[in-house]
Amino acid sequence: MSESPPHTDDDIRSYVASCPITPEFARRIVGLMDLPWDDPEVADRAMLGLGWRDEGEVPMDECRFVTDLGHFVHGDYCLYMPFAHFYDVGGELWPEDGWGREPGWSSRKDADRADFDACVGGAVDRFAEVLGPPEADVRTEGTTLSTGPYSWRYAAWRRSGNVLVVGQTLEPFSYHQDEEAVVFIRDLPEGTPLPDAAAFPGFLTW
């Protein structure tokens, strides 16, 4: 019986998977900015009221809710919701495109960083239609210790003592091999400065 040929770099292809941020969905997310995010029970009731599935119905460990469109929501005292992933498929570590098969998600083979960045730009536009221009719209230079070689964008809005951020970071479930774009909400007391670009990756934690 012959052995399978070894995997090569030619087998590995880049993908971008996304779950949509529609105008209506953005409006519903903006409504969550008014919640007291230091009280998980209040936040839970609000998200259940949107028709999101909670524990016992979610397909991933550490996932708090799944939205009606298919986003996975994490965090006890915040909302951490990925809406796009930039990753490789092929070889032995990730032989199949898992994200592209998740309900509500679609993926593109041979997508590049421009495609990933376009997902972020589209989400920023959706929230700007509701909240107006962001208070901060910054990019890392791809040379800092906190972001490594990555050039990422962050847009942030404040309301009701909270902050909503659309930004890019490393994806934790891949042991930081892949990247993801997220919508993030947490409390931020009035007068507290927003992070600079290099500090945003550490700010987006759940």
Side-chain angles (χ1 to χ4, degrees):
M1 183 175 180
S2 61
E3 295 183 359
S4 299
H7 293 286
T8 69
D9 289 343
D10 291 338
D11 299 324
I12 299 175
R13 314 295 283 270
S14 62
Y15 281 69
V16 169
S18 61
C19 191
I21 304 289
T22 65
E24 172 57 28
F25 186 74
R27 285 191 290 272
R28 286 187 280 147
I29 294 294
V30 166
L32 299 177
M33 291 180 72
D34 299 322
L35 297 177
W37 281 94
D38 59 349
D39 189 336
E41 291 186 3
V42 172
D44 282 355
R45 288 196 296 270
M47 289 186 279
L48 286 171
L50 294 175
W52 298 2
R53 292 180 287 144
D54 66 350
E55 297 180 76
E57 299 182 274
V58 298
M60 179 186 292
D61 290 342
E62 306 299 332
C63 181
R64 186 175 177 189
F65 286 94
V66 178
T67 75
D68 52 323
L69 296 183
H71 310 88
F72 296 93
V73 177
H74 308 276
D76 291 325
Y77 296 93
C78 67
L79 179 143
Y80 184 99
M81 188 191 75
F83 63 89
H85 293 272
F86 186 28
Y87 55 102
D88 291 332
V89 174
E92 297 178 357
L93 292 178
W94 195 290
E96 298 179 350
D97 174 21
W99 280 113
R101 293 198 300 267
E102 289 292 342
W105 290 75
S106 61
S107 64
R108 286 168 285 170
K109 183 178 180 179
D110 293 325
D112 57 18
R113 183 160 298 281
D115 296 303
F116 182 51
D117 291 344
C119 293
V120 176
V124 171
D125 291 345
R126 295 291 79 75
F127 286 105
E129 290 167 1
V130 184
L131 293 167
E135 178 178 334
D137 191 346
V138 296
R139 300 174 188 269
T140 65
E141 296 298 326
T143 57
T144 68
L145 289 176
S146 63
T147 63
Y150 305 107
S151 294
W152 288 329
R153 181 183 181 186
Y154 304 92
W157 295 262
R158 297 184 201 243
R159 193 164 101 171
S160 303
N162 295 319
V163 61
L164 183 151
V165 182
V166 174
Q168 293 159 294
T169 189
L170 294 173
E171 195 272 315
F173 292 105
S174 67
Y175 299 98
H176 293 170
Q177 296 179 69
D178 303 330
E179 299 170 61
E180 63 186 7
V182 305
V183 176
F184 179 77
I185 300 175
R186 57 159 283 186
D187 67 299
L188 190 70
E190 297 292 341
T192 304
L194 291 168
D196 61 19
F200 261 113
F203 185 73
L204 304 181
T205 57
W206 51 274

